[in-house]
Amino acid sequence: MNKTVTLALQGGGSHGALTWGVLDRLLEDGRVSIEAISGSSAGAMNAVALAHGYLEGGADGARQALKDFWDSVASSSPFSMPFEEQGLTADIATQSELPAAMKHLFSWTRFFSPSQLNPFDINPLRDILAAQIDFERLRQQPGIQLFIATTQVSTGTLKLFRNRQMSLDVLLASACLPMIHRAVEIEGEAYWDGGLTANPPLFPLVHKCNARDIIAILLHAQPRAQVPSSASEIWQRLTEMGFSSTFHTELQGLLLAKREADRGWLTWGRLERRLRKLNLHVIAAPELMSQLSSHSKMNAQAAFLHSLHAEGRARAQVWLDQHFQQLGQYSSFRMAHLFR
């Protein structure tokens, strides 16, 4: 029996290959129908590739489109080697290590602007997306609803783009890290990475969709037991916090609103009825993410991406085995500790 869901896809650079693996397994399973997807940064890339592929050839087309995108990302890396040559003999944490030259380059992003480090605004994603995604078809043809997050530079607020507004610039804006790329201008406004203000956005899946179940695919690390002390540890923790705090804030608000709706004796409003029926599920690998440095989000080597893909498929399989039957019935995700 097919069950309809919406998906919320978190951003995290190359770590988004784990999300690719999760999506690949869900699409292969065939029992999950997707009404809508929200996404930021790498989550937005996965969302658009999936939606585009689905228009082309259903679930199989979506799987192929995701594979084509990530394979192209790997082949565009200046430090990539063929996947077959590198193999999967080392663990993912070992494969995540960047070459020394790349680490040195990214260290300079703390001191120089994108216009200084990247004066020609070179972005391999631009060519990959232009070649693989039919944005006109996404705008014109009904399909999976998309909610792509960006951050408006002038106000520091979230701006969502939907199917009818989809373009190459929108997708590049959603993944525009301010330290590496210049802001992307759309209709006179400058935009940065959507993960700064929603990573990923949940509210459009509540207010604009009908599916009772939201599956959030997250790239968060486990809570840190120790206070960072070195400069690199502090920088990494600040980066993690900056791209996770918006989601935690929105999630807490959503769960609080749902709890109040569940307590009500009478439910008159559409939102209250929607919240009472809403179920939340999470697929994640926090212990693995804790082993990876923030620099590894820039690692596009084939072996690393394919290892994350394999791990994502495994996580999705565990979730399907344990929680698929709960779809449409109740939430498999618990965050009661937030209310203590």
Side-chain angles (χ1 to χ4, degrees):
M1 177 181 176
N2 277 31
K3 298 188 179 183
T4 301
V5 305
T6 59
L7 301 174
L9 309 183
Q10 196 163 58
S14 295
H15 295 179
L18 185 134
T19 301
W20 164 35
V22 173
L23 297 174
D24 187 44
R25 183 65 191 97
L26 294 179
L27 290 163
E28 181 184 54
D29 182 83
R31 293 176 293 168
V32 175
S33 298
I34 303 169
E35 178 187 359
I37 312 175
S38 70
S40 302
S41 195
M45 303 290 168
N46 279 319
V48 170
L50 189 157
H52 165 76
Y54 208 92
L55 287 176
E56 293 283 335
D60 289 340
R63 293 181 66 200
Q64 187 62 51
L66 286 163
K67 182 179 187 302
D68 290 345
F69 171 74
W70 285 102
D71 283 348
S72 296
V73 170
S75 65
S76 71
S77 170
F79 298 96
S80 283
M81 290 190 293
F83 176 55
E84 292 77 14
E85 291 183 16
Q86 287 195 334
L88 294 174
T89 55
D91 61 32
I92 300 177
T94 301
Q95 293 171 3
S96 73
E97 287 300 312
L98 281 176
M102 289 189 73
K103 287 184 179 179
H104 183 69
L105 173 63
F106 291 126
S107 69
W108 286 105
T109 62
R110 304 184 198 180
F111 307 104
F112 296 96
S113 71
S115 60
Q116 293 171 304
L117 286 175
N118 187 6
F120 298 106
D121 201 24
I122 297 170
N123 187 347
L125 285 176
R126 183 181 290 109
D127 293 336
I128 293 171
L129 294 169
Q132 295 185 4
I133 306 298
D134 186 344
F135 289 98
E136 180 64 25
R137 186 172 184 180
L138 281 173
R139 289 192 294 268
Q140 299 298 329
Q141 189 169 334
I144 296 172
Q145 292 188 67
L146 293 171
F147 302 94
I148 302 304
T150 65
T151 299
Q152 192 174 64
V153 178
S154 61
T155 62
T157 57
L158 172 67
K159 167 68 175 179
L160 287 177
F161 289 89
R162 303 186 63 178
N163 299 58
R164 63 180 179 272
Q165 304 160 307
M166 205 52 54
S167 68
L168 175 59
D169 283 341
V170 166
L171 210 47
L172 292 175
S174 185
C176 178
L177 289 173
M179 297 81 69
I180 298 175
H181 296 293
R182 301 177 191 175
V184 178
E185 187 171 308
I186 302 172
E187 296 183 355
E189 283 285 351
Y191 295 92
W192 277 340
D193 196 297
L196 295 168
T197 47
N199 193 26
L202 295 175
F203 74 90
L205 304 180
V206 177
H207 293 277
K208 302 293 184 181
C209 302
N210 296 313
R212 296 183 61 167
D213 296 87
I214 298 174
I215 301 177
I217 304 175
L218 305 182
L219 303 175
H220 286 156
Q222 286 179 326
R224 302 294 185 181
Q226 298 179 335
V227 177
S229 56
S230 70
S232 61
E233 290 172 346
I234 292 171
W235 180 260
Q236 176 169 340
R237 188 66 187 124
L238 284 172
T239 301
E240 291 173 349
M241 292 168 63
F243 282 91
S244 63
S245 59
T246 54
F247 174 76
H248 285 139
T249 299
E250 186 177 8
L251 180 60
Q252 288 183 49
L254 175 60
L255 294 180
L256 282 168
K258 178 172 171 55
R259 186 178 69 171
E260 293 305 309
D262 290 340
R263 285 177 172 178
W265 287 94
L266 296 174
T267 305
W268 299 104
R270 178 185 178 278
L271 180 57
E272 288 81 4
R273 293 195 301 271
R274 172 83 174 129
L275 287 170
R276 292 185 70 172
K277 294 179 179 179
L278 189 68
N279 303 314
L280 184 63
H281 314 271
V282 167
I283 302 176
E287 65 284 354
L288 170 62
M289 293 297 112
S290 297
Q291 299 175 42
L292 306 181
S293 71
S294 58
H295 282 152
S296 67
K297 294 179 181 180
M298 303 297 178
N299 186 349
Q301 295 180 85
F304 181 52
L305 299 182
H306 282 267
S307 294
L308 287 173
H309 169 262
E311 183 69 19
R313 282 182 57 86
R315 299 285 172 154
Q317 185 60 58
V318 170
W319 187 88
L320 286 167
D321 292 342
Q322 296 179 351
H323 301 299
F324 175 79
Q325 297 303 325
Q326 297 172 13
L327 289 174
Q329 303 298 319
Y330 51 90
S331 296
S332 63
F333 178 65
R334 298 286 184 270
M335 283 193 71
H337 65 275
L338 287 176
F339 308 120
R340 292 174 184 169

